[in-house]
């Protein structure tokens, strides 16, 4: 019996994904470890490897399909004595259990409506073709094909599908010029009324030249989680100014000693260490709110915000308080590099007891970061700049940095947050203390 290849859960929070690209085709022989597809998750675009050997007998879900639920059969692998007919027979029951295509079209409609139409005349007509299909004569089309057809005003009734079981896929739309030409004619009579009064789904700026950029799964997840954070987590913000001169001097001395090992410390590496040590010193801030209880952690795992194309990811430096600065620097460099390549393992960006976000390299003096639930705090780092600063009883010029802690007030009181900020400031201004 063919082996069912199912959409995997490539991250702890993944519920569905986009099958971006197939790296194999029907008839290809694969072995365990071979790359089969590229899948876009809520965190990154990741490669999916085979765990069994055999022949690709059937690709059930075409590449480019959005919203593929975890556990959905996406392909079938044939064994040594099986042929393509076995794949066809095996996939039929799986497809029969799926909801009717008309329902899928309805579920996908909000995504299509979210894309600004090219002209007001297209707005009310975009979803008409899938919505009007009767259950007995439903149109078989992938969600991506439906959305593209809606955006382009194409009538899928006139499109011949080349996908599995005659399913219409993205490539079929390129051959539907006749249907595309018929769509504007069918909507022309409604154009004057729509132009006079834009509908609720038509943005007021739709006449301004623009490009509709499809949201990645990562961007959707960022939007959802941070909206929930600001709506559900009561933030409190505490800011301190820190004299960095001693830390910068120590960094220079350490880098001279590490030069032969090919390790170069950054200020950010030292701040990660300082935050971890401060959390161990002030354990009431190294916590997580969990409804009717608080989880108080015994070690400090620091999530470091890394900007990547299309979003943000937070690889975790595990037990940063007990690690040497050279090891922290090496780990962050490796994690950040693989994060930008989309090659992090789920366990390398999941978890963390607190986060650090540094925008100093962009010249940002101070900012307030949004807490990344379920964590209870995040440290926002601004730029180190020359400022007048009182050293002892004298006014001098020093390299000063502003750091702002965002705290979940359900879990951390203001006084406790202030103790953490005080400890963080002390460790940065007397950096030998974090090495002891």
């Amino acid at each position: 019996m063919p082996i069912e290849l199912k959409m995997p859960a490539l991250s702890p929070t993944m519920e569905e994904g986009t099958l971006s690209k197939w790296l194999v085709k029907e008839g290809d022989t694969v072995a365990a470890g071979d790359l089969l597809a590229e899948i876009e998750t809520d965190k990154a675009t990741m490669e999916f490897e085979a765990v069994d050997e055999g022949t690709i007998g059937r690709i059930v879900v075409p590449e480019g399909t959005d919203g593929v639920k975890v556990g959905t059969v996406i392909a079938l692998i044939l064994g040594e004595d099986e042929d393509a007919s076995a794949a066809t027979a095996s996939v039929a029951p799986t497809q029969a259990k799926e909801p009717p295509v008309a329902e899928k079209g309805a579920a996908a409609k909000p995504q299509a409506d979210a894309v600004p139409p090219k002209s007001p005349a297209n707005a009310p007509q975009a979803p008409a073709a899938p919505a009007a299909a009767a259950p007995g004569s439903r149109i078989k089309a992938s969600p991506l094909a439906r959305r593209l057809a809606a955006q382009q005003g194409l009538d899928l009734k006139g499109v011949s599908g080349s996908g599995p079981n005659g399913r219409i896929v993205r490539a079929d739309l390129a051959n539907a010029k006749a249907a595309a030409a018929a769509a504007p004619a069918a909507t022309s009579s409604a154009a004057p009324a729509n132009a006079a009064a834009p509908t609720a789904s038509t943005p007021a700026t739709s006449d301004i030249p623009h490009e509709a950029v499809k949201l990645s799964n990562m961007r959707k997840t960022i939007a959802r989680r941070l909206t929930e954070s600001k709506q559900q987590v009561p933030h409190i913000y505490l800011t301190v100014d820190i004299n960095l001169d001693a830390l910068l001097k120590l960094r220079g001395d350490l880098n001279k000693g590490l030069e032969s090992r090919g390790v170069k410390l950054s200020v950010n590496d030292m701040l990660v260490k300082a935050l971890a040590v401060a959390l161990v010193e002030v354990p009431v801030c190294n916590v997580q709110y969990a409804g009717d209880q608080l989880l108080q952690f015994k070690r400090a795992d620091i999530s470091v915000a890394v900007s990547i194309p299309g979003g943000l990811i937070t690889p975790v430096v595990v037990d940063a308080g007990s690690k040497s600065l050279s090891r922290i620097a090496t780990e962050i460099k490796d994690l950040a590099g693989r994060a930008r390549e989309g090659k992090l393992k789920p366990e390398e960006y999941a978890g963390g007891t607190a986060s650090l976000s540094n925008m100093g390299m962009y010249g940002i003096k101070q900012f307030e970061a949004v807490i990344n639930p379920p964590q209870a705090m995040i440290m926002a780092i601004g730029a180190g700049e020359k400022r007048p600063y009182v050293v002892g009883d004298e006014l001098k010029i020093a390299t000063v940095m502003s750091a702002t802690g965002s705290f979940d007030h359900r879990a951390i009181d203001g006084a406790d947050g202030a103790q953490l900020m005080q400890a963080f400031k002390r460790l940065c201004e007397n950096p030998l203390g974090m090495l002891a």
Side-chain angles (χ1 to χ4, degrees), residues 348-390:
E348 292 176 319
Y349 55 76
T353 65
S355 294
L356 185 142
S357 179
N358 189 341
M359 297 185 70
M361 66 284 293
Y362 299 109
I364 302 301
K365 183 176 180 179
Q366 178 186 338
F367 69 103
E368 298 167 345
V370 181
I371 296 170
N372 182 24
Q375 295 177 8
M377 75 86 55
I378 181 171
M379 186 72 75
I381 303 297
E385 57 182 5
K386 296 291 185 181
R387 300 185 206 168
Y389 194 80
V390 176

Side-chain angles (χ1 to χ4, degrees), residues 1-2 4 58 76 78 83-95:
M1 184 175 180
E4 293 183 341
R58 182 76 174 275
L76 296 173
L78 301 175
D83 55 25
S85 61
T88 303
S90 176
V91 78
T94 303
Q95 292 179 336

Side-chain angles (χ1 to χ4, degrees), residues 18-56:
T18 297
L19 209 162
S20 303
K21 182 180 181 182
W22 279 108
L23 303 178
V24 294
K25 61 182 182 298
E26 292 181 0
D28 285 357
T29 300
V30 296
D34 287 352
L35 298 180
L36 300 180
E38 292 179 357
I39 296 174
E40 182 185 332
T41 73
D42 57 344
K43 298 292 185 181
T45 298
M46 306 177 70
E47 294 171 334
F48 179 37
E49 296 182 357
V51 295
D52 296 290
E53 62 179 21
T55 302
I56 303 296

Side-chain angles (χ1 to χ4, degrees), residues 61-85:
V61 178
E63 65 179 39
T65 302
D66 292 327
V68 183
K69 298 291 184 182
V70 170
T72 300
V73 177
I74 58 176
L76 296 173
I77 297 180
L78 301 175
E80 185 176 351
D81 299 324
E82 295 174 325
D83 55 25
S85 61

